[in-house]
Amino acid sequence: MIETKVFSYTDEQFADLQMLRYRVDGFEQLTLQQKKLVYFLSEAALTGRDILWDQNGKYNLRIRKTLETLYTHYCGNREDEEFKAFCIYMKRVWFSNGIHHHYGCEKFIPGFSEQFFRTAVKQLPADELPLENGQSVDELCDLLIPVIFRPDIMPKRVNQADGEDLIQTSACNYYAEEVTQAEAEEFYSRCKKSHDPHPVMYGMNSRLVKSHGRLREKVWKSGGLYGAAIDRIIYWLEKAATVAENEKQAAVIRKLVDFYRTGDLKTFDEYTILWVQETEALVDFTNGFTETYGDPLGLKASWEGYVNFKDLKATERTEKLSANAQWFERHSPVEPRFKKEHCKGVSAKVIKAAILGGDLYPASAIGINLPNSNWVRAEYGSKSVTIGNLTDAYNKAAHGNGFQQEFVIDDETRQLLDRYQDDCDDLHTDLHECLGHGSGRLLPGVDPDALKAYGATIEEARADLFGLYYIADPKLTELGLTPDGQAYKAQYYSYMMNGLLTQMVRIEPGKNIEEAHMRNRALIARWTFEQGASEQVTEFVRKDGKTYIRINDYAKLRVLFGRLLAEIQRIKSEGDYEAARNLVERYGIQIDRELHEEVLTRYRALHLSPYKGFINPVYTPVYDEHQQITDVKVSYDEAYDAQMLRYSHDYATLPYVND
Ligand code: ZN
């Protein structure tokens, strides 16, 4: 009998999360060399997992080991309510790579008691627990219980509250406990030479510590902090270099190895320059310290890794945008002095993710634009990707789930969304990534970090607005990217509905908006709502006790997006901190409590999860009798918990305590 496994995009749901699966169609058609390259790079992408856990909080590795031992060795009744609540907590910790919410950053509170935890842990085999230097099991519990249970200890991974010491009040592990925000800011402003046209990304790859009253960096490199993990990443990268698709790609990988060996940030810039210029190979990857959202000061980069290959057909779409980058720059509503004179190297492609690792796992971005160094981007361009197979999985999972029926105002608008939404979403992501982030320029002498804690929100708003402004442009229909002049309305409606209403489903009652992308969406939607209020461009409509959004004038809304784009670009170009702060604080953060409660109630009734993450496929090499790889197989049937436990076992690279 032939057994056929039906692929399902959706998998288990727990807390506010749903697991999805993505397909890596086209992998079988790669050459053996490309398959090996994907496999070796995938191993490198999974190997850095422990680094991220430790970056997210200094107790995370010990907590993970303790929880996992409890999960696998619990000898009580597994149907017990407390144990079930424990399992949910375990799955949430896995999902977040730590004890704080992956998106909102708040610590989640367990649904089981301290008493249950202590009793259960004491029954576990001691050699399976992360006991340090003769520590007893009780001492381990004494250490971990307050961290897990007490709401006042390490309440937020990243605190963005204006006016507080953002470092002292954030639980992330990028600064030693005794370092203050003022000290860190002073330390890094002294690093910056005022007229260096090619500054490195100061502070990106280190923890800032204080010893004998002096600040210094502990660098993440081979032989340094996280060295054990980094050495194993190097091992896989060196294997990958032997099967690179071309000499340029091999040089990219070798330069990255150099950087991991030395921790030298100049070498890192050289690596990103080589990486951005390698555009020929089908397979590509990111591996390293990349995004800075996890640091309240936006300097320290969390570890991430992923591997992908180009989706040739879909890439035609983004290549059209790239080829016209200069046209878009020239016609944007931004003041000429803030525009780039020569838009170069905006390479854009649609890719298929082959593996997600570090800070991209299991929750992943769907569009990525790198590198992050402003001068490298200005002089060498950037690589921008839309991850087609993840978007596809989201779309497949969303069809028919009742969401639009509940929140979209009428049938006519629902039909508009049905017809255009999936395509427009992809296109907006393309515009955001390959044109938006790459557009505009800083005025000479402006510090790229001038907007500080507001920088990320302003930057995302800039890219989103670029996309919103242009998705309505006849040029896109001319290029064959939108089917007609109506399609953009689907994007406008869903954007405004999300920014004004439905993105609140991701926020807990009583909380405000924290995450940069969400702040940006609220900022754009509320600012344009307010600016268009006198003409009722967008309005709130109440029907049967429910609130909806109606857009009365789509063309006018586009004008407002353009006006805000010009202002946001001015703020970025001039480094106008006060203006950034005013906009973000006024429009991006607060939530109307009554409306929030209503949206949450309606959303709960749908039994949907506001956040999604992905279970990775499994790659299994096939060996011949000489231990040579003859093929690599991909499969999709590993369970979520099995995958997490396997990763914790196979990719355990770091000690429990990394000082
Ligand atoms: Zn972005």
Side-chain angles (χ1 to χ4, degrees):
M1 201 175 91
I2 299 166
E3 213 183 309
T4 45
K5 285 198 191 91
V6 179
F7 182 89
S8 170
Y9 286 95
T10 54
D11 205 275
E12 64 182 295
Q13 258 181 307
F14 48 90
D16 55 355
L17 305 168
Q18 176 167 37
M19 300 311 302
L20 304 180
R21 289 178 191 275
Y22 60 99
R23 294 191 59 88
V24 195
D25 292 330
F27 180 77
E28 277 88 358
Q29 284 73 49
L30 299 180
T31 65
L32 176 59
Q33 187 183 341
Q34 288 168 331
K35 285 180 181 174
K36 283 158 86 171
L37 180 59
V38 168
Y39 173 67
F40 295 145
L41 289 172
S42 293
E43 289 296 309
L46 295 172
T47 298
R49 181 170 179 255
D50 280 1
I51 298 176
L52 177 72
W53 280 74
D54 194 69
Q55 288 178 320
N56 281 346
K58 63 190 276 194
Y59 298 105
N60 280 338
L61 289 170
R62 276 171 281 186
I63 290 173
R64 186 182 79 195
K65 180 64 179 169
T66 308
L67 299 180
E68 285 177 348
T69 305
L70 182 50
Y71 188 80
T72 50
H73 287 69
Y74 181 64
C75 47
N77 180 4
R78 296 182 88 88
E79 292 304 309
D80 183 276
E81 286 308 316
E82 292 226 77
F83 185 73
K84 283 200 225 161
F86 165 77
C87 289
I88 291 171
Y89 182 76
M90 171 86 260
K91 288 176 183 182
R92 297 185 78 184
V93 172
W94 275 329
F95 192 97
S96 293
N97 298 292
I99 58 172
H100 298 89
H101 196 278
H102 73 289
Y103 208 77
C105 297
E106 73 282 1
K107 187 163 86 176
F108 26 79
I109 300 303
F112 54 95
S113 66
E114 290 183 31
Q115 186 56 43
F116 163 83
F117 182 75
R118 188 182 287 270
T119 310
V121 170
K122 285 173 77 167
Q123 290 166 355
L124 299 174
D127 61 346
E128 295 282 335
L129 291 172
L131 300 170
E132 294 286 315
N133 311 322
Q135 196 180 33
S136 72
V137 177
D138 261 321
E139 283 163 343
L140 178 70
C141 288
D142 290 344
L143 179 73
L144 298 186
I145 280 174
V147 178
I148 294 173
F149 289 92
R150 274 186 48 186
D152 58 323
I153 293 184
M154 304 175 94
K156 302 214 64 155
R157 178 165 57 81
V158 189
N159 180 28
Q160 304 273 21
D162 193 26
E164 294 177 22
D165 185 313
L166 302 183
I167 288 184
Q168 288 283 303
T169 54
S170 294
C172 57
N173 197 13
Y174 294 120
Y175 303 87
E177 266 166 25
E178 54 284 0
V179 178
T180 66
Q181 181 180 354
E183 287 173 326
E185 282 175 347
E186 222 243 352
F187 181 87
Y188 285 110
S189 68
R190 261 189 287 123
C191 289
K192 288 179 190 166
K193 299 176 203 87
S194 52
H195 296 297
D196 185 355
H198 297 145
V200 297
M201 308 276 280
Y202 291 105
M204 182 198 90
N205 66 333
S206 64
R207 184 188 298 158
L208 188 63
V209 302
K210 208 194 241 177
S211 55
H212 307 295
R214 287 180 70 91
L215 293 173
R216 68 182 184 89
E217 291 185 320
K218 280 193 171 173
V219 177
W220 307 325
K221 60 172 185 169
S222 178
L225 198 55
Y226 303 145
I230 287 169
D231 286 342
R232 274 181 57 185
I233 295 169
I234 290 174
Y235 168 84
W236 288 110
L237 289 176
E238 287 183 328
K239 278 177 126 33
T242 66
V243 289
E245 288 184 62
N246 57 50
E247 192 34 53
K248 265 183 160 176
Q249 189 178 46
V252 170
I253 299 172
R254 286 195 299 265
K255 190 59 97 175
L256 176 58
V257 168
D258 270 2
F259 167 65
Y260 273 138
R261 290 229 161 90
T262 60
D264 177 24
L265 290 171
K266 276 234 174 315
T267 308
F268 179 76
D269 285 344
E270 289 163 19
Y271 151 69
T272 59
I273 291 165
L274 289 177
W275 177 77
V276 91
Q277 291 177 322
E278 195 295 292
T279 53
E280 298 298 307
L282 196 74
V283 176
D284 202 356
F285 72 103
T286 294
N287 186 298
F289 306 107
T290 309
E291 302 289 358
T292 55
Y293 304 109
D295 170 12
L297 300 190
L299 298 171
K300 311 281 172 196
S302 64
W303 193 92
E304 70 179 41
Y306 82 112
V307 185
N308 65 76
F309 56 91
K310 209 185 282 189
D311 179 338
L312 292 172
K313 195 160 160 21
T315 295
E316 283 173 22
R317 193 175 74 216
T318 50
E319 279 172 350
K320 276 187 197 165
L321 292 179
S322 300
N324 289 281
Q326 195 63 60
W327 185 92
F328 286 103
E329 185 75 356
R330 202 168 335 115
H331 290 81
S332 91
V334 159
E335 262 189 71
R337 64 198 175 108
F338 304 140
K339 291 184 184 182
K340 272 208 184 88
E341 293 197 10
H342 305 285
C343 261
K344 61 179 140 184
V346 192
S347 96
K349 56 187 177 179
V350 180
I351 56 164
K352 293 188 182 190
I355 204 86
L356 304 169
D359 218 356
L360 290 170
Y361 171 81
S364 175
I366 49 169
I368 299 178
N369 182 310
L370 291 172
N372 283 327
S373 164
N374 278 301
W375 72 263
V376 175
R377 299 165 68 89
E379 292 180 25
Y380 298 91
S382 61
K383 269 191 204 173
S384 171
V385 299
T386 305
I387 312 179
N389 58 339
L390 300 189
T391 317
D392 190 46
Y394 279 125
N395 291 342
K396 294 273 183 2
H399 279 290
N401 67 8
F403 184 80
Q404 294 200 342
Q405 200 63 35
E406 178 59 38
F407 287 105
V408 176
I409 187 162
D410 52 29
D411 279 338
E412 190 192 335
T413 312
R414 268 191 291 277
Q415 280 160 17
L416 183 77
L417 296 183
D418 275 350
R419 182 148 172 220
Y420 298 117
Q421 183 59 43
D422 286 357
D423 288 345
C424 277
D425 255 352
D426 286 350
L427 189 56
H428 184 257
T429 309
D430 295 341
L431 287 163
H432 173 116
E433 297 295 344
C434 51
L435 299 180
H437 279 306
S439 72
R441 66 182 191 109
L442 299 182
L443 290 185
V446 170
D447 177 355
D449 297 325
L451 305 180
K452 297 190 181 138
Y454 302 104
T457 301
I458 293 295
E459 177 56 21
E460 292 311 321
R462 204 171 71 86
D464 260 5
L465 284 162
F466 202 92
L468 288 166
Y469 179 76
Y470 274 119
I471 202 162
D473 202 284
K475 180 82 176 174
L476 293 193
T477 317
E478 194 185 298
L479 290 170
L481 295 168
T482 44
D484 54 47
Q486 302 296 309
Y488 79 96
K489 294 180 180 174
Q491 189 62 21
Y492 279 21
Y493 190 85
S494 66
Y495 197 94
M496 293 300 281
M497 180 178 87
N498 186 50
L500 293 171
L501 211 60
T502 50
Q503 75 164 350
M504 283 190 247
V505 304
R506 294 173 155 208
I507 309 275
E508 282 182 37
K511 298 269 165 67
N512 285 324
I513 307 175
E514 296 281 345
E515 199 276 335
H517 295 80
M518 286 181 73
R519 285 186 168 183
N520 128 55
R521 291 175 200 131
L523 189 168
I524 291 173
R526 291 166 177 181
W527 187 92
T528 49
F529 177 85
E530 192 182 283
Q531 295 293 312
S534 59
E535 297 166 81
Q536 297 208 314
V537 173
T538 309
E539 61 176 333
F540 282 105
V541 176
R542 298 274 299 166
K543 280 201 298 189
D544 308 325
K546 292 178 177 180
T547 308
Y548 298 88
I549 304 300
R550 179 188 287 143
I551 297 179
N552 295 309
D553 190 340
Y554 284 93
K556 191 69 204 280
L557 185 55
R558 184 186 185 211
V559 174
L560 294 173
F561 285 143
R563 205 187 296 158
L564 184 56
L565 172 59
E567 171 62 2
I568 294 268
Q569 182 62 55
R570 182 198 67 75
I571 290 171
K572 169 106 182 174
S573 292
E574 294 181 348
D576 187 345
Y577 175 81
E578 273 310 311
R581 177 165 174 234
N582 287 339
L583 267 185
V584 177
E585 292 288 337
R586 175 145 179 222
Y587 298 99
I589 299 176
Q590 307 300 328
I591 287 188
D592 178 322
R593 299 290 164 222
E594 213 172 302
L595 187 57
H596 190 197
E597 196 42 58
E598 179 206 314
V599 169
L600 286 175
T601 307
R602 290 162 69 186
Y603 187 75
R604 264 184 232 117
L606 298 171
H607 302 291
L608 300 176
S609 311
Y611 300 100
K612 317 263 192 283
F614 294 96
I615 301 173
N616 273 325
V618 181
Y619 295 92
T620 313
V622 181
Y623 294 94
D624 67 11
E625 66 273 26
H626 310 292
Q627 289 307 302
Q628 297 298 309
I629 295 177
T630 57
D631 197 6
V632 180
K633 298 283 184 206
V634 57
S635 59
Y636 302 100
D637 42 17
E638 191 167 37
Y640 174 61
D641 60 348
Q643 181 156 93
M644 287 296 182
L645 289 167
R646 181 169 66 85
Y647 285 178
S648 294
H649 178 268
D650 291 359
Y651 305 102
T653 51
L654 292 181
Y656 299 114
V657 181
N658 295 277
D659 281 335

